[in-house]
Amino acid sequence: MKRKEYAWAYLFVSAPILGFLLFAFVPLSYSVYVSFTEYSGYQPPVFTGTANYAKLALNDELFWKTMFNTFYAALSIPIGMALALFIATALNQKVRGIRFFRTMFFLPTISSVIALTLLWKWIFNDSYGLLNYLLELIGIQGPAWLSSEKWAMPAMIIQGVWAGLGINMVLYLAALQGVPKSFHEAAEIDGASRWQRFVRITIPCISPTTLYILITSIIGALQDFPRFQIMTEGGPNYSTTTIVYYLFQNAFRYMSMGYASAMAWVLGLLILAITLLNFWLSKRWVHYE
């Protein structure tokens, strides 16, 4: 009986394991090799040792600029998390019609990323965009959002904050509904104010959700690509070129597959290091039952 259970267990897990080996492990292993070569995709790869990694670290200023741009764009994470928590707290009330507002905030999450990005590209248009039109109504001359080196990245941060609100709001809302009411009742009896209860009880109780949102948001931000390609194409003057968009250009525009693979592994190891660091630091501020 036990052997049959093990046999069925291995049968069920064999499909995803086989899929990983064929469609993930083999390409990943090959990309490690390619990162040490000069490879255009058309000719056989030529082994060059650590030349690609040395070029990244020492000779490619644009790589460091795009890395800075990536972390600059990631400023949308703390802003978005704080705003999502505020909205979730507001929607965690027992009032009439609250489900309608929850749906409206979550609806963009299930919409097409391409369609939403094109919508925001129109909103930020400096000639006929909605945002500059609204600014003109109150006597403010709106900037050239997406064609200005100064304003292009702030525009992308604004769009990034909005894009992540829906799913983060739902996660925080679920976490807030899981906070034991007895904790708040006991603190209220002891004379704690609403703000003190929020800081001392609510935030610690939802800290596991905060950790999850933080880690997944960082991973997503460091791999952000489609909205930058659609809205700015990395411009103007590389001011919104992220590391993944730069990687894409090297791989498919300049056909430098070896260099792009090296860049991908540097990014992957960086994401791994940041994730492990977050887990290590979480021991100080994440509270479990």
Side-chain angles (χ1 to χ4, degrees):
M1 189 67 180
K2 193 172 183 180
R3 288 180 179 178
K4 289 183 179 180
E5 290 179 354
Y6 274 109
W8 279 106
Y10 285 127
L11 180 64
F12 281 120
V13 301
S14 61
I17 291 177
L18 186 63
F20 171 78
L21 292 175
L22 291 177
F23 301 108
F25 180 76
V26 173
L28 283 172
S29 301
Y30 186 67
S31 71
V32 174
Y33 166 71
V34 169
S35 70
F36 293 98
T37 68
E38 183 179 339
Y39 181 45
S40 65
Y42 298 109
Q43 302 296 329
V46 178
F47 186 77
T48 58
T50 59
N52 288 329
Y53 293 95
K55 180 181 177 182
L56 277 177
L58 303 175
N59 300 323
D60 193 348
E61 294 182 1
L62 191 55
F63 168 76
W64 294 107
K65 179 179 176 63
T66 58
M67 188 67 77
F68 171 79
N69 290 342
T70 303
F71 281 95
Y72 183 16
L75 287 176
S76 62
I77 296 174
I79 301 172
M81 289 178 64
L83 190 56
L85 178 57
F86 173 79
I87 295 174
T89 304
L91 295 178
N92 190 34
Q93 309 296 325
K94 293 182 179 180
V95 296
R96 190 174 182 179
I98 197 66
R99 292 184 179 179
F100 170 78
F101 292 102
R102 292 174 181 173
T103 304
M104 290 299 101
F105 274 103
F106 183 73
L107 194 60
T109 305
I110 61 176
S111 302
S112 168
V113 174
I114 306 301
L116 293 176
T117 303
L118 290 173
L119 175 64
W120 275 94
K121 188 175 182 179
W122 166 72
I123 291 174
F124 282 124
N125 188 281
D126 56 324
S127 300
Y128 53 82
L130 177 63
L131 183 55
N132 279 0
Y133 171 75
L134 295 176
L135 290 175
E136 287 181 6
L137 293 180
I138 58 176
I140 299 176
Q141 180 65 39
W145 291 98
L146 300 179
S147 56
S148 166
E149 290 187 43
K150 179 181 178 181
W151 289 102
M153 189 57 81
M156 297 303 299
I157 291 174
I158 293 172
Q159 196 268 341
V161 169
W162 178 87
L165 278 181
I167 186 65
N168 291 345
M169 179 273 295
V170 168
L171 291 172
Y172 269 132
L173 183 60
L176 288 171
Q177 293 179 350
V179 177
K181 296 181 179 180
S182 58
F183 291 178
H184 286 278
E185 292 171 354
E188 188 175 4
I189 292 173
D190 290 338
S193 65
R194 178 174 295 183
W195 174 251
Q196 288 174 326
R197 297 198 303 271
F198 180 77
V199 173
R200 300 291 184 180
I201 297 176
T202 303
I203 291 182
C205 285
I206 66 173
S207 57
T209 301
T210 300
L211 176 64
Y212 172 79
I213 294 175
L214 177 63
I215 290 177
T216 54
S217 297
I218 290 175
I219 292 173
L222 294 182
Q223 299 180 88
D224 207 349
F225 168 72
R227 63 192 189 96
F228 287 91
Q229 183 187 31
I230 295 171
M231 291 184 69
T232 64
E233 295 184 353
N237 193 26
Y238 296 101
S239 61
T240 59
T241 302
T242 61
I243 185 64
V244 175
Y245 189 61
Y246 186 46
L247 186 158
F248 167 81
Q249 288 180 318
N250 276 277
F252 300 105
R253 181 174 296 177
Y254 310 133
M255 302 309 297
S256 183
M257 295 290 182
Y259 192 57
S261 296
M263 201 178 304
W265 275 100
V266 169
L267 177 62
L269 292 175
L270 178 62
I271 292 174
L272 176 62
I274 293 175
T275 302
L276 293 176
L277 179 63
N278 273 315
F279 274 116
W280 181 69
L281 293 175
S282 68
K283 298 177 182 178
R284 304 182 180 182
W285 60 274
V286 177
H287 304 276
Y288 299 97
E289 292 184 1

